[in-house]
Amino acid sequence: MQFQLDNNSSIVRMSGEFTFTDHAQFKSMVTRLFETKDAPVVIDISKLEFIDSAGLGMLLLARDEAKKNNRPLVLRGPSGQVKRMFGVTKFDALFDVEE
Amino acid sequence: MSLADMQQRVIHALMAEISSTSTFVETEAEALSGRFQRLVLSADQQTARVESLTNLAIGIVVDGEVVPIDRIAGLLENTLSDVVEKILLLSKDSMSMVYALDELNANVARVDKCMEQLGGVNRTTNMLALNARIEAERAGTAGAAFRVVAQEVRELSKVTQELAVSMQAELATVTDGIASGHATLQRVATIDMSENIMAKDKLEVLLSALVRRTDSLTSIVSDAVREAELMSADVGGMVTGIQFQDRMRQRLEHVVDTLQVINQAIDELKHSSIAAVPALATDAPPDLEWVKGLLERFTMSEMRARFVAQLLDGKRPDELPDHGPDASGPSESGSVELF
């Protein structure tokens, strides 16, 4: 997985495949995201091609982090396999998912 | 007088023909009625079978209870949703533990660094104690107290060093435990369950298709039940309708009876005429032209043959080899000659 997080921005763009091996990188990224002050925190996943169950678990942990920090978390632009996974797991009921 | 004789023969032939036709129709009608009754029975059985198909189409029988397909689909859907929810929970908890172990690993690394620093401090302390001892020896008697302090510091450094070694050994065990736990958790967390999650998607599509097919099947079977019931009713009506032969037989009996009366009247007229004019009693040849004209009107050859035998040869109906359309009963091919 690759991600792009601009300095002091609360928007991150993820691309490629999001799997277990990305856990350290993702955790660090989430920590940096919630250090910003802007609301809401947005994870742009429009370029994300694949997500596995570990990836879904990490997004749920990010959601817990958002709740702890009292910050809205938006998942933006899911498509393809990612969108189908969101549909099956009813992620749109757990997250604010923007098309 | 020959005309009167011929007319009486015609009347006898007609009476015989009517009687045999009546018998023929009655026999055929009864046979048809029997077939229709068997058809009614088959239609009723067919209706019952189609009705039992309705139950099969609606659902599956479990412990004597019909569980509808849509309810089965609902149960499966709920079960699959539950499985997906648990997979998500498992994934989240696994990743949470991975995060916690990463943190713990970082803490242990920091402690390890502290232990290294502690070892450095200990080495320095030991060196200082050694130097203090050398200086105390060089001072002679005046350094006696200083020598004792240097010795104590050296002892303290030795104990601290032993403690540090012991702690490092314990820390190594903890590090190994964390590494082992991390590896185990990684194996659990890297089991990709996305295919299992997507299986729910596929199963939902299949279940929807199954429910749609069941609905179609139920609709078709319902139509078939209605059609089968209509067919049973129609065949039942046909059985009732075919009971016409009783009325027909009664009517033909009236006709035969009337012909009998006419025959008697002709007979009486013939006798009264002979009584009045005895010359009429002499036998006169039959009027063959009249008979020929009559027979030419018949389009059925077997009927014409019977009339020839009775009118011209003077045979009685019971002397004929076959004195009916088919006195032996209904034929499979149908003995009615169409014209």
Side-chain angles (χ1 to χ4, degrees):
Chain A
M1 178 199 69
Q2 296 81 45
F3 73 93
Q4 185 189 336
L5 177 61
D6 299 332
N7 282 340
N8 297 320
S9 169
S10 61
I11 302 176
V12 64
R13 290 170 188 85
M14 290 171 67
S15 59
E17 299 189 348
F18 184 26
T19 61
F20 174 83
T21 52
D22 303 307
H23 70 89
Q25 194 184 10
F26 183 76
K27 185 172 185 293
S28 155
M29 183 190 79
V30 168
T31 306
R32 281 175 61 190
L33 270 176
F34 286 103
E35 281 169 356
T36 61
K37 299 297 174 195
D38 294 340
V41 169
V42 177
I43 302 179
D44 186 333
I45 48 176
S46 55
K47 302 285 183 202
L48 196 63
E49 294 162 4
F50 177 83
I51 188 167
D52 67 0
S53 48
L56 293 172
M58 284 187 270
L59 285 178
L60 288 171
L61 288 174
R63 175 172 166 265
D64 288 352
E65 197 65 21
K67 278 188 179 172
K68 206 191 300 174
N69 286 278
N70 202 24
R71 299 271 300 275
L73 174 62
V74 176
L75 300 178
R76 181 175 290 164
S79 62
Q81 184 265 359
V82 178
K83 188 174 183 176
R84 286 204 301 282
M85 286 286 270
F86 280 17
V88 173
T89 53
K90 298 187 171 62
F91 250 42
D92 52 351
L94 302 171
F95 288 88
D96 182 2
V97 179
E98 284 181 2
E99 289 297 324
Chain B
M1 221 22 82
S2 66
L3 179 61
D5 287 341
M6 196 52 72
Q7 283 175 338
Q8 282 185 303
R9 285 185 188 184
V10 169
I11 286 169
H12 281 125
L14 283 175
M15 285 162 60
E17 198 65 32
I18 288 168
S19 296
S20 72
T21 302
S22 174
T23 306
F24 170 75
V25 170
E26 198 165 356
T27 310
E28 290 282 341
E30 277 175 9
L32 265 179
S33 178
R35 286 179 187 176
F36 275 126
Q37 275 169 352
R38 284 198 296 279
L39 203 55
V40 168
L41 192 65
S42 296
D44 286 345
Q45 286 170 346
Q46 195 66 8
T47 305
R49 282 192 206 102
V50 175
E51 276 173 346
S52 69
L53 260 181
T54 310
N55 287 336
L56 289 177
I58 289 170
I60 296 167
V61 179
V62 180
D63 295 333
E65 185 198 353
V66 177
V67 183
I69 296 290
D70 53 354
R71 210 170 103 200
I72 293 169
L75 281 171
L76 270 173
E77 165 111 32
N78 289 341
T79 307
L80 288 171
S81 294
D82 194 44
V83 168
V84 166
E85 202 176 307
K86 284 185 168 61
I87 288 175
L88 278 184
L89 190 66
L90 188 67
S91 299
K92 183 186 164 188
D93 287 349
S94 297
M95 293 316 298
S96 180
M97 283 182 72
V98 167
Y99 281 1
L101 282 181
D102 282 347
E103 284 289 323
L104 197 58
N105 223 8
N107 290 338
V108 168
R110 280 195 290 273
V111 171
D112 199 43
K113 196 80 179 169
C114 289
M115 293 306 294
E116 277 180 25
Q117 287 174 351
L118 192 62
V121 169
N122 224 16
R123 278 192 298 277
T124 306
T125 307
N126 200 27
M127 192 62 73
L128 281 173
L130 186 64
N131 286 341
R133 174 78 186 271
I134 292 168
E135 292 303 322
E137 290 297 333
R138 194 182 291 167
T141 317
F146 196 51
R147 192 184 310 123
V148 172
V149 173
Q151 185 59 33
E152 286 298 319
V153 170
R154 200 172 174 197
E155 285 297 320
L156 189 65
S157 172
K158 192 180 168 190
V159 172
T160 308
Q161 180 61 28
E162 284 170 2
L163 197 60
V165 169
S166 173
M167 280 178 73
Q168 267 188 324
E170 290 295 328
L171 205 57
T173 309
V174 171
T175 306
D176 287 348
I178 291 173
S180 169
H182 196 277
T184 305
L185 198 56
Q186 180 167 348
R187 279 199 299 277
V188 173
T190 48
I191 296 171
D192 182 17
M193 296 186 182
S194 52
E195 280 299 317
N196 305 69
I197 293 172
M198 292 312 285
K200 178 179 180 275
D201 198 25
K202 290 172 192 164
L203 277 171
E204 277 175 357
V205 172
L206 286 174
L207 286 172
S208 298
L210 186 62
V211 169
R212 281 199 303 277
R213 202 199 71 163
T214 303
D215 288 346
S216 303
L217 196 59
T218 307
S219 170
I220 290 166
V221 170
S222 299
D223 289 346
V225 168
R226 275 195 299 280
E227 289 293 329
E229 285 170 349
L230 282 174
M231 213 185 298
S232 292
D234 282 348
V235 176
M238 286 161 83
V239 170
T240 309
I242 211 162
Q243 304 302 323
F244 65 89
Q245 83 273 16
D246 278 345
R247 293 190 303 279
M248 184 211 69
R249 183 172 47 77
Q250 286 173 21
R251 287 184 190 180
L252 291 180
E253 279 172 1
H254 287 312
V255 172
V256 170
D257 188 53
T258 305
L259 287 172
Q260 185 67 39
V261 171
I262 293 170
N263 186 41
Q264 283 174 357
I266 291 172
D267 217 23
E268 286 166 12
L269 181 63
K270 199 166 74 177
H271 284 105
S272 61
S273 298
I274 288 172
V277 185
L280 291 175
T282 52
D283 285 340
D287 187 348
L288 291 177
E289 283 304 313
W290 182 84
V291 173
K292 191 181 171 193
L294 176 70
L295 293 177
E296 279 176 353
R297 300 175 72 88
F298 294 172
T299 53
M300 292 180 74
S301 56
E302 43 132 349
M303 190 173 167
R304 187 163 54 239
R306 283 196 296 275
F307 267 68
V308 167
Q310 290 174 87
L311 267 53
L312 301 179
D313 302 339
K315 289 187 176 175
R316 292 194 308 278
D318 55 358
E319 293 173 330
L320 298 174
D322 178 9
H323 53 88
D326 187 358
S328 62
S331 68
E332 290 302 318
S333 61
S335 59
V336 178
E337 185 178 337
L338 299 176
F339 55 89

